[in-house]
Amino acid sequence: MDNAATTPISPEVLEGMMPYLKGHFGNASGIYATGRDARQAVDEARKQVAQLIGCKPGEVYFTSGGTESDNWALKGIAFANRNKGNHIITSAIEHPAVLETAKWLETQGFEVSYLMPDASGIINPDEVEKAITDRTILISIMAANNEIGALQPVAAIGALARARKIPFHTDAVQAVGAIPVDVKAWQADLLSLSGHKFGAPKGIGALYVRTGTRITPLLHGGAQERNRRAGTENVPGIVGLGLAAARAGQGIEEKTARITALRNRLIDGIMDAISHVRLNGDRNSRLPNNANLSFRFIEGEALLLHLDLNGIAASSGSACASGSLEPSHVLLSMGLDAEEAHSSLRFTLSEATTEEEINTVLGVLPGIVDKLRAMSPLAS
Ligand code: PLP
């Protein structure tokens, strides 16, 4: 129940990668046979990723994952457009891969506006429009939030960015593979995606860069990725990403409908059986696989530990934030108080999630909540 943190490698993906981990080990820059094999496999994967997000293969650049793609998008656009201005618009609910990069850019002379969401975790395009100045050189708003699953109005934001010729980046790490993604409909100039969120291995991702977008490289070195991202290609990872993209695109509407139904049964089952629970984020404007709930009077971390004892993996906020005692920056920015934010729990399903797994959670969670509330000084 923690598929937003990561997913297992799909068996077909692993099988497709194996030849490139064994015999076909060539460097994709080599001109001999094993090199040519590797190059062909990389080209095929580029087409598969392009097809999933609706762009041209030449607009896909392979990276080491979502974090690198986000870093490259923000730093690459900021430095390429320094002569035009120094203002960047993003939101307060972004993943740390965007937020920390934006904060670092502030130390380099850039100014950043961090827009606040509404109570359901959604950024209003009117707020984006109001924040634009004649110094704005980048708008970066995520497609779907990793903690509460809130879907952002990226098409509306993309439209107003395009009308003003301001590059628009969207971190779609949680969206790609989970919902249909179309960079043209969203009018995105840059889009980040990460393989391990949808059945490919960890450490492989991509950045879509629309033709004609000026971007400074993040990694300097060899001429790989059309001189824009140096480093010997991770051929097995790239092959895995391509295969996972091809799989993700198949029957996405049906998969989404099935996962939404399971997720709704989970939310309804929890809310029927347990008192003082709130669903964080809008019921409908959210990723099909996400349920984020606050359980008054108890700590999400305590719930997690008890669920783990029952063999259930969930998350309290994002994986990157767990271990820190800071309440979720996303929930706080939606107006929750620190206690409500601390009492949150995130369940994220996948296409492999079964009815039985939902039943297991619904079977054990009420008892765990009762037990923890009985011990909680806040509940008395
Ligand atoms: N952006 C979002 C929205 C994420 O959820 C994540 C990972 O949790 C990342 C970026 C970072 O991706 P990666 O783990 O591939 O570095």
Side-chain angles (χ1 to χ4, degrees):
M1 307 299 286
D2 197 20
N3 288 280
T6 198
T7 57
I9 303 180
S10 312
E12 302 93 301
V13 170
L14 185 59
E15 202 182 309
M17 289 171 62
M18 283 318 280
Y20 299 93
L21 288 159
K22 289 177 162 180
H24 297 260
F25 62 88
N27 186 319
S29 305
I31 53 164
Y32 39 79
T34 55
R36 288 198 305 273
D37 280 355
R39 166 64 46 211
Q40 245 173 24
V42 168
D43 289 346
E44 179 59 23
R46 207 184 298 285
K47 281 189 210 147
Q48 289 164 319
V49 172
Q51 165 121 33
L52 183 66
I53 62 171
C55 69
K56 294 186 270 219
E59 294 174 318
V60 172
Y61 295 85
F62 294 114
T63 66
S64 65
T67 301
E68 183 188 326
S69 296
D70 286 344
N71 268 265
W72 184 18
L74 268 74
K75 294 174 187 169
I77 293 294
F79 285 105
N81 292 284
R82 227 177 178 167
N83 57 339
K84 291 195 187 145
N86 68 341
H87 179 233
I88 295 167
I89 299 172
T90 187
S91 82
I93 58 165
E94 299 294 316
H95 187 273
V98 167
L99 278 182
E100 295 300 320
T101 305
K103 277 195 221 157
W104 180 80
L105 284 168
E106 285 186 90
T107 70
Q108 304 300 305
F110 293 92
E111 278 172 26
V112 184
S113 301
Y114 299 91
L115 303 181
M116 296 300 275
D118 66 14
S120 12
I122 295 172
I123 304 295
N124 185 339
D126 294 344
E127 298 294 320
V128 178
E129 190 161 22
K130 272 191 243 155
I132 294 173
T133 73
D134 57 4
R135 310 272 304 149
T136 306
I137 50 168
L138 172 66
I139 298 174
S140 178
I141 303 287
M142 68 198 326
N145 181 264
N146 45 303
E147 294 190 32
I148 52 156
L151 299 174
Q152 304 301 327
V154 276
I157 297 168
L160 60 91
R162 184 67 55 86
R164 289 162 184 79
K165 296 193 169 60
I166 300 168
F168 171 48
H169 166 247
T170 186
D171 173 346
V173 167
Q174 292 290 340
V176 171
I179 54 169
V181 167
D182 180 353
V183 292
K184 291 210 179 68
W186 292 358
Q187 302 197 46
D189 298 292
L190 305 114
L191 177 144
S192 302
L193 62 93
S194 174
H196 74 100
K197 307 291 184 180
F198 62 102
K202 293 161 186 61
I204 185 71
L207 182 67
Y208 151 75
V209 183
R210 190 164 82 97
T211 305
T213 307
R214 287 190 333 127
I215 184 163
T216 303
L218 183 67
L219 299 184
H220 299 89
Q224 292 88 354
E225 297 297 278
R226 282 94 68 217
N227 277 317
R228 280 182 151 175
R229 197 274 185 183
T232 300
E233 294 88 342
N234 169 4
V235 178
I238 291 172
V239 168
L241 182 66
L243 292 171
R247 271 193 87 244
Q250 287 159 10
I252 194 160
E253 314 278 346
E254 297 88 75
K255 281 187 273 191
T256 299
R258 185 183 157 273
I259 296 171
T260 305
L262 276 182
R263 189 275 317 274
N264 287 347
R265 206 163 78 70
L266 178 68
I267 294 175
D268 293 338
I270 291 174
M271 296 188 95
D272 287 348
I274 306 173
S275 64
H276 296 99
V277 178
R278 68 171 269 170
L279 176 67
N280 296 315
D282 186 73
R283 173 96 189 198
N284 300 313
S285 224
R286 70 189 309 132
L287 284 171
N289 73 341
N290 175 292
N292 185 312
L293 303 132
S294 286
F295 298 79
R296 284 295 297 277
F297 315 126
I298 46 185
E299 298 248 313
E301 295 287 319
L303 277 169
L304 273 192
L305 296 176
H306 282 77
L307 285 171
D308 184 32
L309 290 174
N310 286 275
I312 299 168
S315 155
S316 63
S318 66
C320 318
S322 69
S324 86
L325 289 174
E326 289 297 304
S328 148
H329 69 285
V330 175
L331 296 177
L332 292 182
S333 69
M334 288 160 61
L336 273 71
D337 62 34
E339 189 206 320
E340 285 172 309
H342 268 307
S343 69
S344 74
L345 196 60
R346 179 187 74 176
F347 296 105
T348 44
L349 287 59
S350 80
E351 59 176 302
T353 306
T354 61
E355 292 276 351
E356 293 72 49
E357 286 174 325
I358 301 293
N359 292 341
T360 304
V361 177
L362 293 176
V364 302
L365 190 60
I368 296 173
V369 171
D370 277 351
K371 192 164 128 188
L372 290 172
R373 281 188 179 158
M375 298 188 304
S376 166
L378 298 168
S380 51

